[in-house]
Amino acid sequence: MPINFHEENNRMTYTTRNADESWVSLIQNNVEVIGKQVVDIGCGGGIYTKAFANMGASHITGVDFSLEMIKGATQNCINYDNVEFVQGDAYDTKLHKTEYDIILERALIHHLDDLNKCFKEANRILKNNGILIVQDRTPKDCLMPGNESHLRGYFFEKYPNLVHKEIARRYDSLEVRNALETNGFRLFSESQIWEKRRIYNDVEALRQDLQGRTGRSILHELTDNELKELVFYIESKMDESHFPIVEKDSWTVWVAIKMC
């Protein structure tokens, strides 16, 4: 059976990275963050909650449906007094209406089956002219070939049966744009970004990250034995000359404005 990545023993697997500088630059080039009230919906381990705090937001509320993720995020952001975490979900955040300046929904919508309901809730809690940032992988982002920079491509090369599962949960750009417009938003920008995940100095560091399924929800579709085989397969593609490896993922980022 696939492992549930919201189990207690996985709570810290989504807290171990920092937001990449390329992501921070993209946000700062499109959105004024300083002094703003921000909501991070689907906050996971609080990586991007913390990033907004570091960018100067006045207050950040992280929302996640998983109590275990909230526990990990709270520990991850323990030194930030302008951060709080609440249990809720993208359809019902439990937050007050028209109170927030910015919402981030990163790596969230591929877990949802109703974009309209998600964006309707975002519209409800945003102030007029508030900003909604949606970041996820389109089918095009997901299925780029594998190489030492794009390790995800090897997942589908080794296990083609994962392709259907991956694509079935992904929205293409047109679907996202249409849902935003339907629910009271105007698209401000759409960008593609190669976001650095991590640098691996040796094969052991790469092995540990893969075996931990760190920040890779698709790997929770694999049994432990299947994961071991995948790790061996990826290692077979590498040699010492490849290290250090800088792993990157392709993402699409939509920035939209709530219409008055």
Side-chain angles (χ1 to χ4, degrees), residues 153-170:
Y154 291 134
F155 302 174
F156 308 109
E157 189 175 303
K158 170 64 176 174
Y159 292 114
N161 61 302
L162 289 180
V163 171
H164 174 72
K165 292 181 178 180
E166 184 73 339
I167 297 306
R169 64 182 188 160
R170 300 291 177 178

PDB file of all heavy atoms in Angstrom, residues 153-170:
ATOM      1  N   GLY A 153      12.248  13.097 -13.846  1.00  0.00           N
ATOM      2  CA  GLY A 153      12.054  12.399 -15.102  1.00  0.00           C
ATOM      3  C   GLY A 153      12.375  10.924 -15.012  1.00  0.00           C
ATOM      4  O   GLY A 153      11.766  10.090 -15.702  1.00  0.00           O
ATOM      5  N   TYR A 154      13.321  10.574 -14.148  1.00  0.00           N
ATOM      6  CA  TYR A 154      13.681   9.171 -13.970  1.00  0.00           C
ATOM      7  C   TYR A 154      12.586   8.379 -13.263  1.00  0.00           C
ATOM      8  O   TYR A 154      12.492   7.159 -13.444  1.00  0.00           O
ATOM      9  CB  TYR A 154      14.976   9.052 -13.170  1.00  0.00           C
ATOM     10  CG  TYR A 154      16.202   9.525 -13.899  1.00  0.00           C
ATOM     11  CD1 TYR A 154      17.128  10.350 -13.270  1.00  0.00           C
ATOM     12  CD2 TYR A 154      16.465   9.110 -15.208  1.00  0.00           C
ATOM     13  CE1 TYR A 154      18.274  10.779 -13.925  1.00  0.00           C
ATOM     14  CE2 TYR A 154      17.600   9.532 -15.877  1.00  0.00           C
ATOM     15  CZ  TYR A 154      18.502  10.374 -15.233  1.00  0.00           C
ATOM     16  OH  TYR A 154      19.636  10.785 -15.883  1.00  0.00           O
ATOM     17  N   PHE A 155      11.743   9.047 -12.460  1.00  0.00           N
ATOM     18  CA  PHE A 155      10.668   8.322 -11.781  1.00  0.00           C
ATOM     19  C   PHE A 155       9.755   7.656 -12.799  1.00  0.00           C
ATOM     20  O   PHE A 155       9.364   6.498 -12.641  1.00  0.00           O
ATOM     21  CB  PHE A 155       9.816   9.276 -10.922  1.00  0.00           C
ATOM     22  CG  PHE A 155      10.544  10.048  -9.861  1.00  0.00           C
ATOM     23  CD1 PHE A 155       9.864  11.024  -9.136  1.00  0.00           C
ATOM     24  CD2 PHE A 155      11.874   9.816  -9.574  1.00  0.00           C
ATOM     25  CE1 PHE A 155      10.501  11.742  -8.141  1.00  0.00           C
ATOM     26  CE2 PHE A 155      12.528  10.537  -8.579  1.00  0.00           C
ATOM     27  CZ  PHE A 155      11.839  11.510  -7.868  1.00  0.00           C
ATOM     28  N   PHE A 156       9.427   8.409 -13.844  1.00  0.00           N
ATOM     29  CA  PHE A 156       8.472   7.923 -14.840  1.00  0.00           C
ATOM     30  C   PHE A 156       9.154   7.030 -15.877  1.00  0.00           C
ATOM     31  O   PHE A 156       8.496   6.206 -16.512  1.00  0.00           O
ATOM     32  CB  PHE A 156       7.785   9.121 -15.491  1.00  0.00           C
ATOM     33  CG  PHE A 156       7.211  10.067 -14.478  1.00  0.00           C
ATOM     34  CD1 PHE A 156       7.774  11.308 -14.260  1.00  0.00           C
ATOM     35  CD2 PHE A 156       6.125   9.694 -13.708  1.00  0.00           C
ATOM     36  CE1 PHE A 156       7.269  12.167 -13.306  1.00  0.00           C
ATOM     37  CE2 PHE A 156       5.602  10.540 -12.742  1.00  0.00           C
ATOM     38  CZ  PHE A 156       6.177  11.783 -12.536  1.00  0.00           C
ATOM     39  N   GLU A 157      10.437   7.206 -16.035  1.00  0.00           N
ATOM     40  CA  GLU A 157      11.205   6.314 -16.904  1.00  0.00           C
ATOM     41  C   GLU A 157      11.275   4.922 -16.297  1.00  0.00           C
ATOM     42  O   GLU A 157      11.136   3.910 -16.992  1.00  0.00           O
ATOM     43  CB  GLU A 157      12.615   6.895 -17.070  1.00  0.00           C
ATOM     44  CG  GLU A 157      13.482   6.210 -18.102  1.00  0.00           C
ATOM     45  CD  GLU A 157      14.811   6.923 -18.271  1.00  0.00           C
ATOM     46  OE1 GLU A 157      14.807   8.140 -18.580  1.00  0.00           O
ATOM     47  OE2 GLU A 157      15.863   6.267 -18.074  1.00  0.00           O
ATOM     48  N   LYS A 158      11.478   4.851 -14.987  1.00  0.00           N
ATOM     49  CA  LYS A 158      11.547   3.567 -14.286  1.00  0.00           C
ATOM     50  C   LYS A 158      10.168   2.953 -14.112  1.00  0.00           C
ATOM     51  O   LYS A 158       9.976   1.745 -14.277  1.00  0.00           O
ATOM     52  CB  LYS A 158      12.222   3.774 -12.927  1.00  0.00           C
ATOM     53  CG  LYS A 158      12.166   2.576 -11.984  1.00  0.00           C
ATOM     54  CD  LYS A 158      12.920   1.379 -12.542  1.00  0.00           C
ATOM     55  CE  LYS A 158      12.910   0.242 -11.514  1.00  0.00           C
ATOM     56  NZ  LYS A 158      13.513  -0.997 -12.090  1.00  0.00           N
ATOM     57  N   TYR A 159       9.185   3.775 -13.753  1.00  0.00           N
ATOM     58  CA  TYR A 159       7.825   3.296 -13.495  1.00  0.00           C
ATOM     59  C   TYR A 159       6.836   4.039 -14.377  1.00  0.00           C
ATOM     60  O   TYR A 159       6.189   5.007 -13.949  1.00  0.00           O
ATOM     61  CB  TYR A 159       7.461   3.485 -12.020  1.00  0.00           C
ATOM     62  CG  TYR A 159       8.247   2.612 -11.076  1.00  0.00           C
ATOM     63  CD1 TYR A 159       9.145   3.167 -10.171  1.00  0.00           C
ATOM     64  CD2 TYR A 159       8.094   1.232 -11.091  1.00  0.00           C
ATOM     65  CE1 TYR A 159       9.878   2.371  -9.302  1.00  0.00           C
ATOM     66  CE2 TYR A 159       8.822   0.421 -10.226  1.00  0.00           C
ATOM     67  CZ  TYR A 159       9.713   0.995  -9.340  1.00  0.00           C
ATOM     68  OH  TYR A 159      10.434   0.191  -8.486  1.00  0.00           O
ATOM     69  N   PRO A 160       6.686   3.611 -15.636  1.00  0.00           N
ATOM     70  CA  PRO A 160       5.753   4.292 -16.554  1.00  0.00           C
ATOM     71  C   PRO A 160       4.321   4.329 -16.033  1.00  0.00           C
ATOM     72  O   PRO A 160       3.551   5.216 -16.413  1.00  0.00           O
ATOM     73  CB  PRO A 160       5.855   3.459 -17.840  1.00  0.00           C
ATOM     74  CG  PRO A 160       7.207   2.808 -17.769  1.00  0.00           C
ATOM     75  CD  PRO A 160       7.429   2.527 -16.309  1.00  0.00           C
ATOM     76  N   ASN A 161       3.974   3.386 -15.160  1.00  0.00           N
ATOM     77  CA  ASN A 161       2.611   3.388 -14.618  1.00  0.00           C
ATOM     78  C   ASN A 161       2.343   4.617 -13.764  1.00  0.00           C
ATOM     79  O   ASN A 161       1.179   4.979 -13.517  1.00  0.00           O
ATOM     80  CB  ASN A 161       2.374   2.127 -13.780  1.00  0.00           C
ATOM     81  CG  ASN A 161       3.321   2.021 -12.594  1.00  0.00           C
ATOM     82  OD1 ASN A 161       4.546   2.017 -12.767  1.00  0.00           O
ATOM     83  ND2 ASN A 161       2.781   1.926 -11.393  1.00  0.00           N
ATOM     84  N   LEU A 162       3.398   5.294 -13.303  1.00  0.00           N
ATOM     85  CA  LEU A 162       3.211   6.515 -12.532  1.00  0.00           C
ATOM     86  C   LEU A 162       2.786   7.694 -13.410  1.00  0.00           C
ATOM     87  O   LEU A 162       2.265   8.685 -12.891  1.00  0.00           O
ATOM     88  CB  LEU A 162       4.496   6.897 -11.787  1.00  0.00           C
ATOM     89  CG  LEU A 162       4.915   6.020 -10.610  1.00  0.00           C
ATOM     90  CD1 LEU A 162       6.210   6.563  -9.998  1.00  0.00           C
ATOM     91  CD2 LEU A 162       3.826   5.945  -9.552  1.00  0.00           C
ATOM     92  N   VAL A 163       3.022   7.589 -14.721  1.00  0.00           N
ATOM     93  CA  VAL A 163       2.696   8.703 -15.618  1.00  0.00           C
ATOM     94  C   VAL A 163       1.211   9.018 -15.555  1.00  0.00           C
ATOM     95  O   VAL A 163       0.811  10.180 -15.409  1.00  0.00           O
ATOM     96  CB  VAL A 163       3.122   8.389 -17.068  1.00  0.00           C
ATOM     97  CG1 VAL A 163       2.584   9.464 -18.023  1.00  0.00           C
ATOM     98  CG2 VAL A 163       4.635   8.314 -17.164  1.00  0.00           C
ATOM     99  N   HIS A 164       0.382   7.986 -15.649  1.00  0.00           N
ATOM    100  CA  HIS A 164      -1.063   8.211 -15.621  1.00  0.00           C
ATOM    101  C   HIS A 164      -1.478   8.854 -14.304  1.00  0.00           C
ATOM    102  O   HIS A 164      -2.282   9.805 -14.283  1.00  0.00           O
ATOM    103  CB  HIS A 164      -1.821   6.898 -15.824  1.00  0.00           C
ATOM    104  CG  HIS A 164      -3.304   7.028 -15.658  1.00  0.00           C
ATOM    105  ND1 HIS A 164      -4.096   7.675 -16.578  1.00  0.00           N
ATOM    106  CD2 HIS A 164      -4.133   6.639 -14.640  1.00  0.00           C
ATOM    107  CE1 HIS A 164      -5.356   7.659 -16.157  1.00  0.00           C
ATOM    108  NE2 HIS A 164      -5.395   7.041 -14.984  1.00  0.00           N
ATOM    109  N   LYS A 165      -0.930   8.355 -13.186  1.00  0.00           N
ATOM    110  CA  LYS A 165      -1.276   8.919 -11.877  1.00  0.00           C
ATOM    111  C   LYS A 165      -0.835  10.378 -11.776  1.00  0.00           C
ATOM    112  O   LYS A 165      -1.537  11.205 -11.201  1.00  0.00           O
ATOM    113  CB  LYS A 165      -0.643   8.087 -10.768  1.00  0.00           C
ATOM    114  CG  LYS A 165      -1.237   6.692 -10.629  1.00  0.00           C
ATOM    115  CD  LYS A 165      -0.596   5.912  -9.500  1.00  0.00           C
ATOM    116  CE  LYS A 165      -1.243   4.531  -9.360  1.00  0.00           C
ATOM    117  NZ  LYS A 165      -0.639   3.734  -8.271  1.00  0.00           N
ATOM    118  N   GLU A 166       0.326  10.665 -12.319  1.00  0.00           N
ATOM    119  CA  GLU A 166       0.827  12.034 -12.244  1.00  0.00           C
ATOM    120  C   GLU A 166      -0.010  12.981 -13.102  1.00  0.00           C
ATOM    121  O   GLU A 166      -0.407  14.055 -12.649  1.00  0.00           O
ATOM    122  CB  GLU A 166       2.289  12.064 -12.702  1.00  0.00           C
ATOM    123  CG  GLU A 166       2.961  13.408 -12.583  1.00  0.00           C
ATOM    124  CD  GLU A 166       3.300  13.822 -11.161  1.00  0.00           C
ATOM    125  OE1 GLU A 166       2.692  13.292 -10.207  1.00  0.00           O
ATOM    126  OE2 GLU A 166       4.157  14.692 -10.998  1.00  0.00           O
ATOM    127  N   ILE A 167      -0.278  12.579 -14.331  1.00  0.00           N
ATOM    128  CA  ILE A 167      -1.031  13.444 -15.242  1.00  0.00           C
ATOM    129  C   ILE A 167      -2.481  13.584 -14.809  1.00  0.00           C
ATOM    130  O   ILE A 167      -3.092  14.652 -14.947  1.00  0.00           O
ATOM    131  CB  ILE A 167      -0.948  12.903 -16.687  1.00  0.00           C
ATOM    132  CG1 ILE A 167       0.493  12.935 -17.175  1.00  0.00           C
ATOM    133  CG2 ILE A 167      -1.838  13.731 -17.609  1.00  0.00           C
ATOM    134  CD1 ILE A 167       1.170  14.277 -17.055  1.00  0.00           C
ATOM    135  N   ALA A 168      -3.048  12.521 -14.244  1.00  0.00           N
ATOM    136  CA  ALA A 168      -4.451  12.557 -13.841  1.00  0.00           C
ATOM    137  C   ALA A 168      -4.707  13.598 -12.768  1.00  0.00           C
ATOM    138  O   ALA A 168      -5.823  14.112 -12.636  1.00  0.00           O
ATOM    139  CB  ALA A 168      -4.886  11.183 -13.344  1.00  0.00           C
ATOM    140  N   ARG A 169      -3.702  13.929 -11.988  1.00  0.00           N
ATOM    141  CA  ARG A 169      -3.892  14.894 -10.900  1.00  0.00           C
ATOM    142  C   ARG A 169      -3.398  16.293 -11.254  1.00  0.00           C
ATOM    143  O   ARG A 169      -3.415  17.183 -10.401  1.00  0.00           O
ATOM    144  CB  ARG A 169      -3.184  14.407  -9.633  1.00  0.00           C
ATOM    145  CG  ARG A 169      -1.669  14.300  -9.760  1.00  0.00           C
ATOM    146  CD  ARG A 169      -1.044  13.776  -8.487  1.00  0.00           C
ATOM    147  NE  ARG A 169       0.413  13.857  -8.546  1.00  0.00           N
ATOM    148  CZ  ARG A 169       1.206  13.847  -7.488  1.00  0.00           C
ATOM    149  NH1 ARG A 169       0.685  13.788  -6.275  1.00  0.00           N
ATOM    150  NH2 ARG A 169       2.507  13.908  -7.615  1.00  0.00           N
ATOM    151  N   ARG A 170      -2.948  16.494 -12.479  1.00  0.00           N
ATOM    152  CA  ARG A 170      -2.392  17.793 -12.874  1.00  0.00           C
ATOM    153  C   ARG A 170      -3.372  18.567 -13.746  1.00  0.00           C
ATOM    154  O   ARG A 170      -4.069  17.991 -14.592  1.00  0.00           O
ATOM    155  CB  ARG A 170      -1.074  17.597 -13.641  1.00  0.00           C
ATOM    156  CG  ARG A 170       0.012  16.882 -12.847  1.00  0.00           C
ATOM    157  CD  ARG A 170       0.537  17.721 -11.716  1.00  0.00           C
ATOM    158  NE  ARG A 170       1.520  16.993 -10.919  1.00  0.00           N
ATOM    159  CZ  ARG A 170       2.174  17.503  -9.884  1.00  0.00           C
ATOM    160  NH1 ARG A 170       1.957  18.755  -9.531  1.00  0.00           N
ATOM    161  NH2 ARG A 170       3.038  16.777  -9.207  1.00  0.00           N
TER     162      ARG A 170
END
